[in-house]
Amino acid sequence: MLRPFDSLPRRGRGPLWRDPAARALVFQVLLLIGLASVIGLLVHNTLQNLDARGINTGFDFLDNRAGFSISQTLISYDGNSTYGRTFVIGLLNTLLVSALGIVAATIIGFTVGIARLSPNYLLAKLATVYVELFRNIPLLLQILFWYIAVIRSMPSPRQSLSLGDMVFLNGRGLFVPAPEPQTGFWFSVAALLAGSVAAMLMARHNRQRQSRTGRRLPMGWIIPALVLGLPVMVFLVSGSPLQWDVPALKGFNFSGGLTVLPELLALWIALSIYTAAFIAEIVRSGIQSVPKGQTEAARALSLPPRLTMNQVIIPQAMRVIIPQMTSQYLNLIKNSSLATAIGYPDLVAVFAGTTLNQVGQSVEIMAMTMAVYLVLSLLVSLLMNIYNARTALRER
Amino acid sequence: MGSVQTTSSDIPMIELQRLNKWYGEFHVLRDIDLTVRKGERIVICGPSGSGKSTMIRCINHLEEHQAGDVIVNGITMTRDVKRVEQIRRHVGMVFQHFNLFPHLSVLDNCCLSPVWVKKTPRKKAVDTAMMYLERVKIADQAHKYPGQLSGGQQQRVAIARSLCMHPDVMLFDEPTSALDPEMIKEVLDVMIELAEEGMTMLCVTHEMGFARTVADRVIFMDEGQIIEENDPETFFNHPRSPRTRAFLGQILGH
């Protein structure tokens, strides 16, 4: 007669290699040792190679004189600045185009996404065409298109497109008047701050007032009056202490004013339009993910369409939208490194390009550049996760 | 509102006159004529696809009819957005799948429309909401979220949410069809209580026990038409139409 349990002792834990927890621990330790050896080998090998070729290691080069010029510098920079400075310049340029891109892509994306769901046939179809057109053409091509075919093909400075002889657009970029604050201007800035604080207090007061009496103050008038009206009044009373440096045609080009480089313009437009096509789809799917019953319940409670959208649909759509928006923002930041293709001086072009060519310390420079994108991405993720956690639904 | 004790009177609360509706080629509602007086309790039954839900959804314009008239409290329904919103203020609705707002607490579900649409002071809206939540015996859950409640509890919240707008009529669209059997009773009890207080009610339901106890009239619909309309006693014991008999045989027979 067969006795199936004969091979097992009546009690006891059995040998260690049959315990899943012990096995898992052993495998993890082995993996860690393996990983450490590979990294160690790589580092050792690299150091040896660098040493053999007489290449310096370490970050001392950051203090050396760079000696090349950069077309767009948000902080002061000249040929005598250090390589460390070129890093900061490149980083700021990357941040600038990313921030501009994120703002524009979000606005265009939400507009197109909502338009796709519009009952207006023409509007919905136009939005569909927009999405299908721009998300299906490679981004690099779009950047080149905007740069070469649109902006660089603008007329020469003499035939600039102009807006009231203040703003000029030509093949060399966009020229806008630059504000030059005079003494006393800070009164207006202080008024703006005071007005904003007052507006926030008013908004809070209004919420309490609505809680108490059910009526809302006409905030649509009060907030602009406080935020804009107050500083404008102070500005006028203090004798308009702000002058504009208007760009003017001198010789072959404009001088004075603020110049937006054609590279920045092209990159900004391309990044915004490309990313907006994806954001539009995310917004559409987010809104459509809210069950139809929610709209019906809101309508049955006689909520008008705008309130239904703001109070019922959008808050629920956001939990679908936010995680996907995060990855689009990250894509935009990373895609901004395609700037190199048209010579916009972003971090990759300036630091991982020119600086690397001059210094030759590829390991350090590549590591720093990659670390920047990693840190930026993690920061954006963190912010979006915090926002997402605050809007998450509570269940069980 | 609930304290007003009215019995069936002759003020027409809802009038449907030769109501017709098509979904494309499909004729969902055919020449529906129905008058509901103030305080009347009406139960509508019929096989699925017979147009009963569509009919009551026309009353608050969740569905648009193509011919005929819907008149609520003397006001004729048109497409005019303001008019539709005015009528909806007086018509409460409870759905099969509750449709509570999952991102708002039970209390905020009840206060949303009073605060934003009726401009009720929030404190007053909260008091009203708590009063109705108390009546549907769920006040202790006021600060929970819909996802934390059972189906029966959610449906009772949905009823309270509608009542917070002080409606003159309540529409129930299969309020117990999505519930587990042991939760049906708690919802029906609330509905019976509401009926006893004199609320004008139109209920699409297959709960025939509820129809017998509460209804003033039972309506049987099939293929978009009202086939038979009678007081519960006659309706259940002496149905005239063979189609009614067949339907009753099916749902009561086992």
Side-chain angles (χ1 to χ4, degrees), chain A residues 210-214 293-294 296-305 307 311-312 315-316 393-396, chain B residues 57 61 85 88-89 91 95 99-103 113 115-117 119-123 145 147-148 161 165:
Chain A
Q210 192 190 7
S211 282
R212 221 172 41 244
T213 65
Q294 293 290 309
E296 289 184 348
R299 284 162 67 191
L301 287 165
S302 104
L303 254 71
L307 274 175
Q311 300 288 324
V312 178
Q316 294 184 62
L393 285 188
R394 257 180 262 177
E395 283 184 40
R396 299 276 146 209
Chain B
R57 285 159 62 88
H61 207 254
E85 277 164 19
R88 281 178 183 156
R89 282 194 195 199
V91 181
F95 299 88
N99 296 352
L100 293 179
F101 305 131
H103 60 299
S113 201
V115 166
W116 286 96
V117 177
K119 317 276 185 218
T120 316
R122 184 167 162 87
K123 206 182 158 311
Y145 284 78
Q148 298 169 308
R161 177 175 74 174
M165 288 295 280

Side-chain angles (χ1 to χ4, degrees), chain B residues 216-244:
Chain B
D216 296 310
R217 261 190 295 163
V218 182
I219 289 174
F220 174 71
M221 283 181 75
D222 195 13
E223 294 177 345
Q225 284 173 305
I226 293 181
I227 304 292
E228 186 157 355
E229 182 178 350
N230 233 322
D231 62 283
E233 164 69 20
T234 324
F235 182 85
F236 288 111
N237 298 335
H238 313 287
R240 283 192 310 264
S241 153
R243 275 198 269 181
T244 317

Side-chain angles (χ1 to χ4, degrees), chain A residues 174-197:
Chain A
L174 181 70
F175 299 83
V176 293
E180 285 186 335
Q182 313 291 306
T183 46
F185 181 69
W186 68 271
F187 282 118
S188 306
V189 177
L192 178 69
L193 282 177
S196 307
V197 172

Side-chain angles (χ1 to χ4, degrees), chain A residues 166-170 172-177 247 253-254 256 258-260:
Chain A
M166 301 283 276
V167 179
F168 301 90
L169 181 65
N170 58 50
R172 303 216 181 148
L174 181 70
F175 299 83
V176 293
N253 203 353
F254 282 89
L258 253 173
T259 309
V260 182

